[in-house]
């Protein structure tokens, strides 16, 4: 059977939710979520139409194009007939040579060459846009079998994993493995308090933890921008070629506005270095407000290099989990992603109770 690809256009803000553009967007959402289920469990990590639309249409450093693939020949391209969803992202200011494709084939339609067909289309678009390098992050939940180690020597994927086999076959190289972990909630309050008190004692009187929900105080935006910029180069990247991200106060505010517009809330914990008056550590959680029982997602956790060795990483993570328990006690878990070579942060996570779910591969391909 032959297939064709249709690029999606954003629904008009005032359009009916049952219009064609909305139906296509919701089919895109459902295919992506079917892919998440194999790794995270049914319904535990979900895209929402509102988040896809906010990420797609609101101003930001990353721009996206969305696509659906359909069978040819029957004249149908309504959403329910789509067999694959794809996204092509670029970040012109941060990474002018890179494009970031992602393809999910609906489970009943796999092993028909659809993934190759869609991936080839995204590669052609990236080349036409002058991109010379592709990168993608892909979950690999297949257990057992022969394992292939990441070039870092930390973490591995199974040679039986369908996504890994496809990527190797089509010329991609494995650059790094991240560990996907989950913390099941609730964590005993006394356990979190013990971690916070021990970390506070180790940090000393020069450091004070701050927590808040939603948009950050304008006085903190420059410090948060610096921390995010540090994260882009300080986080272990294995053999992946990465560029430094350009952050300023407006970009932080823009990121926060996008998160809120997507129907999420976010919780921050940060450490203030009292003598300098600057934030030197941060940890952030995002939670979907449409169903706050679902697991939250861990975003950046970072300690400025000159302030490491004082257990500030544990302090911000534990303080934010305590904040989450206080504000959203119904939340059932937290998902996090960490480089397998980041032994320090993995030890922090394990001490807090996180357990490994699956590896996620960072892959790259030269065009």
């Amino acid at each position: 059977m032959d297939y064709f690809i249709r690029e999606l256009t954003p629904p008009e803000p005032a359009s009916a939710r049952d219009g064609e553009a909305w139906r296509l967007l919701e089919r895109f959402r459902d295919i992506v979520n079917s892919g998440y289920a194999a790794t995270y469990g049914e319904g535990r990590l979900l895209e929402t139409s509102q988040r896809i639309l906010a990420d797609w249409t609101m101003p930001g450093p990353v721009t996206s194009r969305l696509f659906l693939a359909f069978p040819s020949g029957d004249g149908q391209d309504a959403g329910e007939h789509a067999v694959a969803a794809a996204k092509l992202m670029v970040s012109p200011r941060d990474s002018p040579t890179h494009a970031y494709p992602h393809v999910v084939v609906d489970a009943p339609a796999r092993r028909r060459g659809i993934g190759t067909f869609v991936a080839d289309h995204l590669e052609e678009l990236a080349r036409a846009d002058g991109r010379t390098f592709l990168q993608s992050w892909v979950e690999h939940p297949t257990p057992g079998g022969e394992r292939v180690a990441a070039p870092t020597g930390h973490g591995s994927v199974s040679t039986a994993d369908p996504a890994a086999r496809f990527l190797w076959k089509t010329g991609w190289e494995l650059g790094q493995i991240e560990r996907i972990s989950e913390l099941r909630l609730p964590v005993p309050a006394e356990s979190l308090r013990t971690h916070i008190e021990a970390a506070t004692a180790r940090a000393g009187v020069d450091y004070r933890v701050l927590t808040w929900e939603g948009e950050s105080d304008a006085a903190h935006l420059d410090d948060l921008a610096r921390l995010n910029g540090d994260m882009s180069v300080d986080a272990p990247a294995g053999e992946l070629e990465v560029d430094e991200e350009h952050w300023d106060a407006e970009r932080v505010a823009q990121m926060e506005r996008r998160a809120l517009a997507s129907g999420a809330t976010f919780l921050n914990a940060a450490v203030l270095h009292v003598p300098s008056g600057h934030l030197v550590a941060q940890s952030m959680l995002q939670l979907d407000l449409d169903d706050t029982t679902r697991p939250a997602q861990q975003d950046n956790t970072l300690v400025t290099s000159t302030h490491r060795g004082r257990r500030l990483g544990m302090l911000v993570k534990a303080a934010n989990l305590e904040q989450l328990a206080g504000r959203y006690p119904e939340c059932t878990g937290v998902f996090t992603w960490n480089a397998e070579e980041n032994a320090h942060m993995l030890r922090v996570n394990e001490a807090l109770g996180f357990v490994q779910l699956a590896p996620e591969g960072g892959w790259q391909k030269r065009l």
Side-chain angles (χ1 to χ4, degrees):
M1 179 180 290
D2 293 329
Y3 301 91
F4 72 95
I5 295 170
R6 177 174 175 179
E7 183 167 1
L8 306 190
T9 56
E12 293 295 332
S15 65
R17 295 287 296 216
D18 59 353
E20 181 189 43
W22 276 108
R23 289 198 301 271
L24 294 173
L25 177 62
E26 288 169 352
R27 180 58 179 153
F28 180 97
R29 174 204 65 198
D30 291 345
I31 293 175
V32 171
N33 286 337
S34 73
Y36 284 154
T39 301
Y40 302 96
E42 191 69 40
R44 291 186 59 72
L45 180 67
L46 292 177
E47 278 289 8
T48 65
S49 298
Q50 188 175 355
R51 179 162 58 244
I52 294 169
L53 189 59
D55 288 343
W56 188 15
T57 60
M58 289 190 68
V62 178
T63 60
S64 302
R65 299 170 67 180
L66 307 186
F67 306 85
L68 286 172
F70 300 87
S72 299
D74 62 0
Q76 299 290 324
D77 63 354
E80 64 266 22
H81 297 277
V83 293
K87 178 190 291 189
L88 184 64
M89 296 174 289
V90 296
S91 184
R93 183 183 178 195
D94 290 334
S95 300
T97 62
H98 287 50
Y100 306 91
H102 190 69
V103 179
V104 182
V105 179
D106 202 23
R110 291 173 188 164
R111 300 186 183 279
R112 300 180 192 173
I114 299 168
T116 300
F117 171 68
V118 177
D120 287 348
H121 181 71
L122 297 186
E123 286 190 25
E124 290 174 8
L125 293 175
R127 284 193 184 92
D129 193 37
R131 307 287 158 165
T132 58
F133 214 76
L134 302 178
Q135 285 188 355
S136 189
W137 284 96
V138 181
E139 298 94 347
H140 300 293
T142 305
E146 183 181 352
R147 310 292 297 185
V148 175
T152 61
H154 299 273
S156 63
V157 297
S158 171
T159 56
D161 185 272
R165 290 164 64 93
F166 169 80
L167 288 160
W168 277 313
K169 183 180 71 174
T170 52
W172 289 74
E173 297 179 352
L174 181 64
Q176 187 184 36
I177 294 291
E178 285 196 344
R179 182 187 302 183
I180 305 170
S181 304
E182 181 183 11
L183 175 66
R184 291 280 182 158
L185 299 178
V187 173
E190 59 273 16
S191 175
L192 285 178
R193 183 45 37 190
T194 297
H195 285 302
I196 291 169
E197 290 175 354
T200 299
R202 175 67 181 87
V205 296
D206 284 348
Y207 298 90
R208 179 161 59 90
V209 68
L210 309 174
T211 60
W212 69 93
E213 179 175 6
E215 290 186 83
S216 302
D217 189 296
H220 296 324
L221 293 180
D222 285 333
D223 284 344
L224 293 173
R226 175 178 45 77
L227 286 165
N228 277 278
D230 289 348
M231 182 76 177
S232 70
V233 291
D234 285 356
E239 296 298 311
L240 298 175
E241 293 193 19
V242 298
D243 297 314
E244 182 176 2
E245 295 177 358
H246 299 86
W247 284 84
D248 56 21
E250 175 54 28
R251 181 168 176 175
V252 175
Q254 195 176 63
M255 174 191 70
E256 295 181 346
R257 290 193 296 267
R258 283 172 67 140
L260 294 172
S262 74
T265 187
F266 47 94
L267 307 179
N268 267 298
V271 171
L272 176 70
H273 181 236
V274 177
S276 69
H278 290 296
L279 301 181
V280 297
Q282 180 209 12
S283 187
M284 181 176 173
L285 294 167
Q286 285 206 45
L287 186 67
D288 291 332
L289 288 174
D290 67 318
D291 184 356
T292 53
T293 67
R294 287 202 304 266
Q297 297 178 49
Q298 176 73 63
D299 283 345
N300 289 353
T301 298
L302 180 75
V303 178
T304 301
S305 58
T306 53
H307 294 270
R308 291 175 187 164
R310 296 173 175 85
R311 301 197 68 189
L312 301 184
M314 171 62 82
L315 180 56
V316 288
K317 292 202 76 163
N320 220 13
L321 290 171
E322 187 176 64
Q323 179 178 205
L324 175 64
R327 294 180 183 269
Y328 299 98
E330 69 277 14
C331 183
T332 56
V334 177
F335 291 122
T336 191
W337 299 258
N338 301 96
E340 280 286 0
E341 61 266 38
N342 192 350
H344 172 73
M345 190 54 66
L346 291 174
R347 284 195 298 270
V348 170
N349 288 342
E350 289 165 358
L352 289 166
F354 282 88
V355 297
Q356 183 171 354
L357 281 183
E360 181 180 51
W363 298 79
Q364 56 191 7
K365 182 178 182 178
R366 293 187 183 275
L367 296 179

